[in-house]
Amino acid sequence: MRHHLQQEIIDICRAHSIVILCDEVYRLLEHNECDRLPAMANAYEKGISAVTMSKPWGACGVTIGWLACQDLSMVQRLVDVQYFGTACVSRASEIQARMVLGSSGAILKERREIVLRNKAHLMSFVEKYSEFFSVNEPNAGAIAFVKFKLFPSHLLGEQLASNGISIKPYYCFAEVVNDEACEAKQYPCEAYHFRVGFGELAFPSKLDALARYVDENADGWRRKLQKIDK
């Protein structure tokens, strides 16, 4: 989302007194810091920012997140609702979260360096094998949805799994999977996409494994593409 679009949304919601709940779990991991938007809780008096330690800081095991909001009455309502499920967070988790946030600058710098380095590897892979794959280049976070041009991603996933490589096919993220259409092999456009996470240090070695598999199957895939083109 661009700055002007965020402001347009805020203006519409302000005119109608609408609350905005904004998922900001990948905020602070923008690939270009100029693209970073103001937190919704800061930008709008009825805005709520949802944040977690797991994504920007890589602190999944801490299991701490928070909602930020200017409206104190809304904050109290959220606290009242939370109390029914969780009276308080783990003290150990709270201490760990404080330790992580105390080194926030250094952690975020390292995380962004890993993400940007791995993104470069991913884009080089897609460029090298562009006859088989394509991707819309992400501008934040460590997630990309790569398109495989030959057949749906769950079929690719089955082939890769037999070679020790795991991907997350489209049906993991689809709101509805039409079983009848799939049985008839009438797949929607999104069925050819799979999710790639590139936020870990081990990503280059995993991508190398995928590249080796592509090299081993490239000739057969090219023949299939030629049949599709005809």
Side-chain angles (χ1 to χ4, degrees):
M1 184 187 300
R2 299 300 179 187
H3 290 74
H4 69 88
L5 181 56
Q6 182 194 48
Q7 189 57 54
E8 288 178 16
I9 293 172
I10 291 173
D11 290 342
I12 292 171
C13 291
R14 180 176 286 129
H16 299 278
S17 193
I18 297 173
V19 173
I20 300 177
L21 173 60
C22 188
D23 181 347
E24 298 179 4
V25 297
Y26 283 108
R27 189 171 179 273
L28 305 180
L29 282 182
E30 295 83 1
H31 301 168
N32 184 338
E33 294 186 12
C34 294
D35 292 333
R36 182 171 301 156
L37 297 173
M40 189 58 71
N42 292 332
Y44 177 43
E45 62 276 6
K46 288 186 176 293
I48 303 174
S49 295
V51 186
T52 175
M53 300 290 297
S54 63
K55 296 299 189 294
W57 295 276
C60 304
V62 174
T63 64
I64 289 286
W66 59 87
L67 298 175
C69 181
Q70 297 183 40
D71 186 341
L72 296 182
S73 64
M74 176 64 74
V75 171
Q76 187 57 54
R77 290 167 63 189
L78 292 168
V79 170
D80 291 342
V81 170
Q82 181 202 25
Y83 187 77
F84 284 98
T86 307
C88 61
V89 299
S90 161
R91 179 58 176 159
S93 293
E94 184 178 351
I95 293 172
Q96 290 176 319
R98 288 177 178 272
M99 293 170 63
V100 171
L101 291 175
S103 301
S104 179
I107 292 173
L108 289 174
K109 181 176 182 294
E110 181 183 37
R111 291 279 293 151
R112 286 188 70 254
E113 288 173 351
I114 293 171
V115 166
L116 292 176
R117 187 165 59 246
N118 287 345
K119 175 186 172 182
H121 287 304
L122 175 62
M123 300 310 295
S124 294
F125 169 88
V126 172
E127 182 178 1
K128 180 178 180 180
Y129 299 107
S130 59
E131 58 189 315
F132 307 124
F133 300 94
S134 64
V135 65
N136 289 325
E137 182 176 349
N139 59 16
I143 299 295
F145 288 90
V146 178
K147 180 180 180 180
F148 184 57
K149 299 179 181 180
L150 273 78
F151 42 78
S153 59
H154 70 282
L155 300 178
L156 174 64
E158 292 173 1
Q159 293 185 11
L160 293 176
S162 64
N163 287 267
I165 302 171
S166 176
I167 63 171
K168 289 190 176 179
Y170 83 102
Y171 61 73
C172 295
F173 312 98
E175 292 185 7
V176 177
V177 176
N178 189 325
D179 293 332
E180 292 182 358
C182 290
E183 289 177 3
K185 296 185 179 181
Q186 297 174 345
Y187 299 105
C189 293
E190 62 268 20
Y192 293 82
H193 292 75
F194 59 96
R195 196 190 85 156
V196 174
F198 53 93
E200 299 181 3
L201 287 170
F203 177 76
S205 62
K206 296 177 181 178
L207 195 62
D208 287 343
L210 177 58
R212 288 193 294 272
Y213 182 84
V214 173
D215 288 335
E216 292 170 0
N217 291 272
D219 289 341
W221 287 355
R222 289 191 183 99
R223 287 193 291 271
K224 288 183 179 180
L225 279 175
Q226 290 172 356
K227 290 181 180 179
I228 293 173
D229 291 339
K230 291 179 181 179

PDB file of all heavy atoms in Angstrom, residues 4-32:
ATOM      1  N   HIS A   4      -0.445   7.537  -0.138  1.00  0.00           N
ATOM      2  CA  HIS A   4      -1.666   8.259  -0.517  1.00  0.00           C
ATOM      3  C   HIS A   4      -2.896   7.372  -0.363  1.00  0.00           C
ATOM      4  O   HIS A   4      -3.977   7.848   0.010  1.00  0.00           O
ATOM      5  CB  HIS A   4      -1.562   8.778  -1.955  1.00  0.00           C
ATOM      6  CG  HIS A   4      -1.582   7.715  -3.006  1.00  0.00           C
ATOM      7  ND1 HIS A   4      -2.758   7.230  -3.561  1.00  0.00           N
ATOM      8  CD2 HIS A   4      -0.583   7.025  -3.597  1.00  0.00           C
ATOM      9  CE1 HIS A   4      -2.473   6.304  -4.450  1.00  0.00           C
ATOM     10  NE2 HIS A   4      -1.166   6.156  -4.498  1.00  0.00           N
ATOM     11  N   LEU A   5      -2.741   6.067  -0.631  1.00  0.00           N
ATOM     12  CA  LEU A   5      -3.870   5.153  -0.489  1.00  0.00           C
ATOM     13  C   LEU A   5      -4.231   4.959   0.983  1.00  0.00           C
ATOM     14  O   LEU A   5      -5.420   4.933   1.339  1.00  0.00           O
ATOM     15  CB  LEU A   5      -3.536   3.804  -1.129  1.00  0.00           C
ATOM     16  CG  LEU A   5      -4.648   2.746  -1.083  1.00  0.00           C
ATOM     17  CD1 LEU A   5      -5.925   3.271  -1.721  1.00  0.00           C
ATOM     18  CD2 LEU A   5      -4.189   1.466  -1.761  1.00  0.00           C
ATOM     19  N   GLN A   6      -3.224   4.873   1.831  1.00  0.00           N
ATOM     20  CA  GLN A   6      -3.501   4.769   3.267  1.00  0.00           C
ATOM     21  C   GLN A   6      -4.288   5.997   3.744  1.00  0.00           C
ATOM     22  O   GLN A   6      -5.260   5.876   4.499  1.00  0.00           O
ATOM     23  CB  GLN A   6      -2.206   4.654   4.070  1.00  0.00           C
ATOM     24  CG  GLN A   6      -2.454   4.483   5.576  1.00  0.00           C
ATOM     25  CD  GLN A   6      -1.215   4.704   6.422  1.00  0.00           C
ATOM     26  OE1 GLN A   6      -0.511   5.697   6.246  1.00  0.00           O
ATOM     27  NE2 GLN A   6      -0.952   3.788   7.357  1.00  0.00           N
ATOM     28  N   GLN A   7      -3.886   7.174   3.272  1.00  0.00           N
ATOM     29  CA  GLN A   7      -4.564   8.397   3.704  1.00  0.00           C
ATOM     30  C   GLN A   7      -5.993   8.457   3.172  1.00  0.00           C
ATOM     31  O   GLN A   7      -6.908   8.907   3.874  1.00  0.00           O
ATOM     32  CB  GLN A   7      -3.780   9.627   3.233  1.00  0.00           C
ATOM     33  CG  GLN A   7      -4.282  10.939   3.827  1.00  0.00           C
ATOM     34  CD  GLN A   7      -4.276  10.934   5.343  1.00  0.00           C
ATOM     35  OE1 GLN A   7      -3.256  10.652   5.958  1.00  0.00           O
ATOM     36  NE2 GLN A   7      -5.418  11.246   5.955  1.00  0.00           N
ATOM     37  N   GLU A   8      -6.206   7.979   1.952  1.00  0.00           N
ATOM     38  CA  GLU A   8      -7.560   7.945   1.405  1.00  0.00           C
ATOM     39  C   GLU A   8      -8.463   7.046   2.244  1.00  0.00           C
ATOM     40  O   GLU A   8      -9.622   7.389   2.515  1.00  0.00           O
ATOM     41  CB  GLU A   8      -7.531   7.453  -0.044  1.00  0.00           C
ATOM     42  CG  GLU A   8      -6.957   8.457  -1.035  1.00  0.00           C
ATOM     43  CD  GLU A   8      -6.914   7.903  -2.445  1.00  0.00           C
ATOM     44  OE1 GLU A   8      -7.599   6.881  -2.706  1.00  0.00           O
ATOM     45  OE2 GLU A   8      -6.208   8.473  -3.290  1.00  0.00           O
ATOM     46  N   ILE A   9      -7.952   5.890   2.650  1.00  0.00           N
ATOM     47  CA  ILE A   9      -8.718   4.967   3.488  1.00  0.00           C
ATOM     48  C   ILE A   9      -9.050   5.611   4.827  1.00  0.00           C
ATOM     49  O   ILE A   9     -10.185   5.536   5.327  1.00  0.00           O
ATOM     50  CB  ILE A   9      -7.933   3.657   3.695  1.00  0.00           C
ATOM     51  CG1 ILE A   9      -7.826   2.903   2.372  1.00  0.00           C
ATOM     52  CG2 ILE A   9      -8.612   2.776   4.753  1.00  0.00           C
ATOM     53  CD1 ILE A   9      -6.909   1.701   2.421  1.00  0.00           C
ATOM     54  N   ILE A  10      -8.063   6.271   5.418  1.00  0.00           N
ATOM     55  CA  ILE A  10      -8.279   6.946   6.703  1.00  0.00           C
ATOM     56  C   ILE A  10      -9.341   8.039   6.569  1.00  0.00           C
ATOM     57  O   ILE A  10     -10.225   8.177   7.419  1.00  0.00           O
ATOM     58  CB  ILE A  10      -6.962   7.535   7.235  1.00  0.00           C
ATOM     59  CG1 ILE A  10      -6.011   6.406   7.660  1.00  0.00           C
ATOM     60  CG2 ILE A  10      -7.216   8.476   8.407  1.00  0.00           C
ATOM     61  CD1 ILE A  10      -4.626   6.876   8.037  1.00  0.00           C
ATOM     62  N   ASP A  11      -9.274   8.818   5.493  1.00  0.00           N
ATOM     63  CA  ASP A  11     -10.238   9.912   5.294  1.00  0.00           C
ATOM     64  C   ASP A  11     -11.661   9.366   5.184  1.00  0.00           C
ATOM     65  O   ASP A  11     -12.598   9.933   5.761  1.00  0.00           O
ATOM     66  CB  ASP A  11      -9.876  10.698   4.027  1.00  0.00           C
ATOM     67  CG  ASP A  11      -8.593  11.508   4.193  1.00  0.00           C
ATOM     68  OD1 ASP A  11      -8.185  11.734   5.352  1.00  0.00           O
ATOM     69  OD2 ASP A  11      -8.005  11.891   3.163  1.00  0.00           O
ATOM     70  N   ILE A  12     -11.825   8.263   4.459  1.00  0.00           N
ATOM     71  CA  ILE A  12     -13.156   7.659   4.313  1.00  0.00           C
ATOM     72  C   ILE A  12     -13.659   7.161   5.662  1.00  0.00           C
ATOM     73  O   ILE A  12     -14.817   7.393   6.045  1.00  0.00           O
ATOM     74  CB  ILE A  12     -13.119   6.511   3.288  1.00  0.00           C
ATOM     75  CG1 ILE A  12     -12.853   7.059   1.877  1.00  0.00           C
ATOM     76  CG2 ILE A  12     -14.430   5.728   3.306  1.00  0.00           C
ATOM     77  CD1 ILE A  12     -12.586   5.983   0.848  1.00  0.00           C
ATOM     78  N   CYS A  13     -12.801   6.470   6.385  1.00  0.00           N
ATOM     79  CA  CYS A  13     -13.204   5.903   7.680  1.00  0.00           C
ATOM     80  C   CYS A  13     -13.466   7.000   8.708  1.00  0.00           C
ATOM     81  O   CYS A  13     -14.397   6.890   9.519  1.00  0.00           O
ATOM     82  CB  CYS A  13     -12.125   4.956   8.191  1.00  0.00           C
ATOM     83  SG  CYS A  13     -11.992   3.444   7.203  1.00  0.00           S
ATOM     84  N   ARG A  14     -12.689   8.065   8.667  1.00  0.00           N
ATOM     85  CA  ARG A  14     -12.905   9.172   9.604  1.00  0.00           C
ATOM     86  C   ARG A  14     -14.257   9.837   9.345  1.00  0.00           C
ATOM     87  O   ARG A  14     -14.978  10.188  10.271  1.00  0.00           O
ATOM     88  CB  ARG A  14     -11.771  10.183   9.470  1.00  0.00           C
ATOM     89  CG  ARG A  14     -11.914  11.383  10.420  1.00  0.00           C
ATOM     90  CD  ARG A  14     -10.725  12.314  10.319  1.00  0.00           C
ATOM     91  NE  ARG A  14      -9.538  11.762  10.961  1.00  0.00           N
ATOM     92  CZ  ARG A  14      -8.338  11.664  10.402  1.00  0.00           C
ATOM     93  NH1 ARG A  14      -8.171  12.047   9.129  1.00  0.00           N
ATOM     94  NH2 ARG A  14      -7.314  11.167  11.065  1.00  0.00           N
ATOM     95  N   ALA A  15     -14.605   9.954   8.079  1.00  0.00           N
ATOM     96  CA  ALA A  15     -15.877  10.592   7.733  1.00  0.00           C
ATOM     97  C   ALA A  15     -17.074   9.789   8.224  1.00  0.00           C
ATOM     98  O   ALA A  15     -18.147  10.352   8.477  1.00  0.00           O
ATOM     99  CB  ALA A  15     -15.959  10.784   6.223  1.00  0.00           C
ATOM    100  N   HIS A  16     -16.894   8.483   8.389  1.00  0.00           N
ATOM    101  CA  HIS A  16     -17.998   7.623   8.806  1.00  0.00           C
ATOM    102  C   HIS A  16     -17.764   6.981  10.176  1.00  0.00           C
ATOM    103  O   HIS A  16     -18.471   6.053  10.548  1.00  0.00           O
ATOM    104  CB  HIS A  16     -18.215   6.533   7.749  1.00  0.00           C
ATOM    105  CG  HIS A  16     -18.571   7.074   6.397  1.00  0.00           C
ATOM    106  ND1 HIS A  16     -19.854   7.453   6.060  1.00  0.00           N
ATOM    107  CD2 HIS A  16     -17.799   7.324   5.309  1.00  0.00           C
ATOM    108  CE1 HIS A  16     -19.860   7.895   4.800  1.00  0.00           C
ATOM    109  NE2 HIS A  16     -18.632   7.832   4.326  1.00  0.00           N
ATOM    110  N   SER A  17     -16.747   7.469  10.890  1.00  0.00           N
ATOM    111  CA  SER A  17     -16.426   6.981  12.238  1.00  0.00           C
ATOM    112  C   SER A  17     -16.223   5.461  12.256  1.00  0.00           C
ATOM    113  O   SER A  17     -16.746   4.748  13.117  1.00  0.00           O
ATOM    114  CB  SER A  17     -17.531   7.361  13.225  1.00  0.00           C
ATOM    115  OG  SER A  17     -17.097   7.153  14.562  1.00  0.00           O
ATOM    116  N   ILE A  18     -15.444   4.970  11.296  1.00  0.00           N
ATOM    117  CA  ILE A  18     -15.172   3.536  11.165  1.00  0.00           C
ATOM    118  C   ILE A  18     -13.825   3.208  11.794  1.00  0.00           C
ATOM    119  O   ILE A  18     -12.832   3.916  11.584  1.00  0.00           O
ATOM    120  CB  ILE A  18     -15.168   3.123   9.684  1.00  0.00           C
ATOM    121  CG1 ILE A  18     -16.553   3.345   9.070  1.00  0.00           C
ATOM    122  CG2 ILE A  18     -14.749   1.664   9.525  1.00  0.00           C
ATOM    123  CD1 ILE A  18     -16.583   3.126   7.566  1.00  0.00           C
ATOM    124  N   VAL A  19     -13.785   2.145  12.559  1.00  0.00           N
ATOM    125  CA  VAL A  19     -12.542   1.665  13.156  1.00  0.00           C
ATOM    126  C   VAL A  19     -11.745   0.885  12.102  1.00  0.00           C
ATOM    127  O   VAL A  19     -12.314   0.110  11.340  1.00  0.00           O
ATOM    128  CB  VAL A  19     -12.822   0.771  14.377  1.00  0.00           C
ATOM    129  CG1 VAL A  19     -11.535   0.123  14.900  1.00  0.00           C
ATOM    130  CG2 VAL A  19     -13.499   1.562  15.486  1.00  0.00           C
ATOM    131  N   ILE A  20     -10.440   1.088  12.070  1.00  0.00           N
ATOM    132  CA  ILE A  20      -9.564   0.335  11.166  1.00  0.00           C
ATOM    133  C   ILE A  20      -8.664  -0.568  12.003  1.00  0.00           C
ATOM    134  O   ILE A  20      -7.896  -0.097  12.838  1.00  0.00           O
ATOM    135  CB  ILE A  20      -8.676   1.261  10.317  1.00  0.00           C
ATOM    136  CG1 ILE A  20      -9.515   2.199   9.455  1.00  0.00           C
ATOM    137  CG2 ILE A  20      -7.747   0.425   9.424  1.00  0.00           C
ATOM    138  CD1 ILE A  20      -8.682   3.192   8.649  1.00  0.00           C
ATOM    139  N   LEU A  21      -8.766  -1.878  11.770  1.00  0.00           N
ATOM    140  CA  LEU A  21      -7.846  -2.834  12.365  1.00  0.00           C
ATOM    141  C   LEU A  21      -6.826  -3.200  11.299  1.00  0.00           C
ATOM    142  O   LEU A  21      -7.168  -3.765  10.261  1.00  0.00           O
ATOM    143  CB  LEU A  21      -8.589  -4.087  12.836  1.00  0.00           C
ATOM    144  CG  LEU A  21      -7.717  -5.248  13.336  1.00  0.00           C
ATOM    145  CD1 LEU A  21      -6.865  -4.820  14.528  1.00  0.00           C
ATOM    146  CD2 LEU A  21      -8.572  -6.454  13.692  1.00  0.00           C
ATOM    147  N   CYS A  22      -5.567  -2.846  11.538  1.00  0.00           N
ATOM    148  CA  CYS A  22      -4.529  -2.998  10.522  1.00  0.00           C
ATOM    149  C   CYS A  22      -3.513  -4.059  10.937  1.00  0.00           C
ATOM    150  O   CYS A  22      -2.886  -3.964  11.992  1.00  0.00           O
ATOM    151  CB  CYS A  22      -3.823  -1.658  10.306  1.00  0.00           C
ATOM    152  SG  CYS A  22      -2.668  -1.657   8.923  1.00  0.00           S
ATOM    153  N   ASP A  23      -3.366  -5.076  10.102  1.00  0.00           N
ATOM    154  CA  ASP A  23      -2.377  -6.128  10.320  1.00  0.00           C
ATOM    155  C   ASP A  23      -0.998  -5.576   9.936  1.00  0.00           C
ATOM    156  O   ASP A  23      -0.718  -5.351   8.765  1.00  0.00           O
ATOM    157  CB  ASP A  23      -2.742  -7.335   9.453  1.00  0.00           C
ATOM    158  CG  ASP A  23      -1.782  -8.505   9.635  1.00  0.00           C
ATOM    159  OD1 ASP A  23      -0.705  -8.315  10.221  1.00  0.00           O
ATOM    160  OD2 ASP A  23      -2.115  -9.616   9.182  1.00  0.00           O
ATOM    161  N   GLU A  24      -0.142  -5.358  10.932  1.00  0.00           N
ATOM    162  CA  GLU A  24       1.172  -4.767  10.691  1.00  0.00           C
ATOM    163  C   GLU A  24       2.297  -5.714  11.094  1.00  0.00           C
ATOM    164  O   GLU A  24       3.372  -5.285  11.515  1.00  0.00           O
ATOM    165  CB  GLU A  24       1.287  -3.431  11.430  1.00  0.00           C
ATOM    166  CG  GLU A  24       0.266  -2.410  10.946  1.00  0.00           C
ATOM    167  CD  GLU A  24       0.324  -1.077  11.683  1.00  0.00           C
ATOM    168  OE1 GLU A  24       1.216  -0.901  12.536  1.00  0.00           O
ATOM    169  OE2 GLU A  24      -0.524  -0.212  11.398  1.00  0.00           O
ATOM    170  N   VAL A  25       2.061  -7.021  10.944  1.00  0.00           N
ATOM    171  CA  VAL A  25       3.044  -7.989  11.419  1.00  0.00           C
ATOM    172  C   VAL A  25       4.342  -7.944  10.608  1.00  0.00           C
ATOM    173  O   VAL A  25       5.392  -8.374  11.101  1.00  0.00           O
ATOM    174  CB  VAL A  25       2.467  -9.425  11.423  1.00  0.00           C
ATOM    175  CG1 VAL A  25       1.309  -9.534  12.380  1.00  0.00           C
ATOM    176  CG2 VAL A  25       2.061  -9.863  10.024  1.00  0.00           C
ATOM    177  N   TYR A  26       4.291  -7.448   9.360  1.00  0.00           N
ATOM    178  CA  TYR A  26       5.511  -7.352   8.559  1.00  0.00           C
ATOM    179  C   TYR A  26       6.058  -5.928   8.498  1.00  0.00           C
ATOM    180  O   TYR A  26       7.045  -5.676   7.797  1.00  0.00           O
ATOM    181  CB  TYR A  26       5.262  -7.864   7.139  1.00  0.00           C
ATOM    182  CG  TYR A  26       5.222  -9.363   7.047  1.00  0.00           C
ATOM    183  CD1 TYR A  26       4.027 -10.041   6.824  1.00  0.00           C
ATOM    184  CD2 TYR A  26       6.378 -10.119   7.189  1.00  0.00           C
ATOM    185  CE1 TYR A  26       3.984 -11.421   6.743  1.00  0.00           C
ATOM    186  CE2 TYR A  26       6.349 -11.504   7.100  1.00  0.00           C
ATOM    187  CZ  TYR A  26       5.150 -12.142   6.887  1.00  0.00           C
ATOM    188  OH  TYR A  26       5.120 -13.514   6.805  1.00  0.00           O
ATOM    189  N   ARG A  27       5.429  -5.007   9.206  1.00  0.00           N
ATOM    190  CA  ARG A  27       5.946  -3.640   9.229  1.00  0.00           C
ATOM    191  C   ARG A  27       7.350  -3.648   9.843  1.00  0.00           C
ATOM    192  O   ARG A  27       7.642  -4.438  10.733  1.00  0.00           O
ATOM    193  CB  ARG A  27       5.006  -2.738  10.039  1.00  0.00           C
ATOM    194  CG  ARG A  27       5.351  -1.261   9.937  1.00  0.00           C
ATOM    195  CD  ARG A  27       4.273  -0.391  10.562  1.00  0.00           C
ATOM    196  NE  ARG A  27       4.648   1.010  10.477  1.00  0.00           N
ATOM    197  CZ  ARG A  27       5.382   1.634  11.379  1.00  0.00           C
ATOM    198  NH1 ARG A  27       5.773   0.985  12.467  1.00  0.00           N
ATOM    199  NH2 ARG A  27       5.713   2.904  11.232  1.00  0.00           N
ATOM    200  N   LEU A  28       8.208  -2.784   9.354  1.00  0.00           N
ATOM    201  CA  LEU A  28       9.629  -2.667   9.718  1.00  0.00           C
ATOM    202  C   LEU A  28      10.514  -3.610   8.893  1.00  0.00           C
ATOM    203  O   LEU A  28      11.736  -3.586   9.034  1.00  0.00           O
ATOM    204  CB  LEU A  28       9.884  -2.918  11.218  1.00  0.00           C
ATOM    205  CG  LEU A  28       9.090  -2.048  12.192  1.00  0.00           C
ATOM    206  CD1 LEU A  28       9.444  -2.420  13.641  1.00  0.00           C
ATOM    207  CD2 LEU A  28       9.355  -0.570  11.943  1.00  0.00           C
ATOM    208  N   LEU A  29       9.880  -4.431   8.038  1.00  0.00           N
ATOM    209  CA  LEU A  29      10.649  -5.278   7.124  1.00  0.00           C
ATOM    210  C   LEU A  29      10.457  -4.840   5.675  1.00  0.00           C
ATOM    211  O   LEU A  29      10.531  -5.646   4.749  1.00  0.00           O
ATOM    212  CB  LEU A  29      10.249  -6.745   7.279  1.00  0.00           C
ATOM    213  CG  LEU A  29      10.818  -7.488   8.492  1.00  0.00           C
ATOM    214  CD1 LEU A  29      10.368  -8.934   8.485  1.00  0.00           C
ATOM    215  CD2 LEU A  29      12.345  -7.402   8.540  1.00  0.00           C
ATOM    216  N   GLU A  30      10.190  -3.546   5.470  1.00  0.00           N
ATOM    217  CA  GLU A  30      10.095  -3.023   4.111  1.00  0.00           C
ATOM    218  C   GLU A  30      11.470  -3.139   3.437  1.00  0.00           C
ATOM    219  O   GLU A  30      12.506  -2.868   4.069  1.00  0.00           O
ATOM    220  CB  GLU A  30       9.645  -1.559   4.119  1.00  0.00           C
ATOM    221  CG  GLU A  30       8.243  -1.345   4.659  1.00  0.00           C
ATOM    222  CD  GLU A  30       8.180  -1.270   6.182  1.00  0.00           C
ATOM    223  OE1 GLU A  30       9.260  -1.362   6.825  1.00  0.00           O
ATOM    224  OE2 GLU A  30       7.080  -1.127   6.733  1.00  0.00           O
ATOM    225  N   HIS A  31      11.495  -3.518   2.179  1.00  0.00           N
ATOM    226  CA  HIS A  31      12.767  -3.671   1.481  1.00  0.00           C
ATOM    227  C   HIS A  31      13.390  -2.320   1.179  1.00  0.00           C
ATOM    228  O   HIS A  31      14.607  -2.189   1.121  1.00  0.00           O
ATOM    229  CB  HIS A  31      12.558  -4.471   0.199  1.00  0.00           C
ATOM    230  CG  HIS A  31      11.984  -5.828   0.465  1.00  0.00           C
ATOM    231  ND1 HIS A  31      11.483  -6.639  -0.538  1.00  0.00           N
ATOM    232  CD2 HIS A  31      11.829  -6.527   1.624  1.00  0.00           C
ATOM    233  CE1 HIS A  31      11.056  -7.769   0.000  1.00  0.00           C
ATOM    234  NE2 HIS A  31      11.243  -7.719   1.297  1.00  0.00           N
ATOM    235  N   ASN A  32      12.552  -1.317   0.990  1.00  0.00           N
ATOM    236  CA  ASN A  32      12.996   0.071   0.871  1.00  0.00           C
ATOM    237  C   ASN A  32      12.315   0.852   1.989  1.00  0.00           C
ATOM    238  O   ASN A  32      11.088   0.947   2.014  1.00  0.00           O
ATOM    239  CB  ASN A  32      12.621   0.637  -0.506  1.00  0.00           C
ATOM    240  CG  ASN A  32      13.137   2.049  -0.718  1.00  0.00           C
ATOM    241  OD1 ASN A  32      13.424   2.779   0.230  1.00  0.00           O
ATOM    242  ND2 ASN A  32      13.258   2.452  -1.971  1.00  0.00           N
TER     243      ASN A  32
END
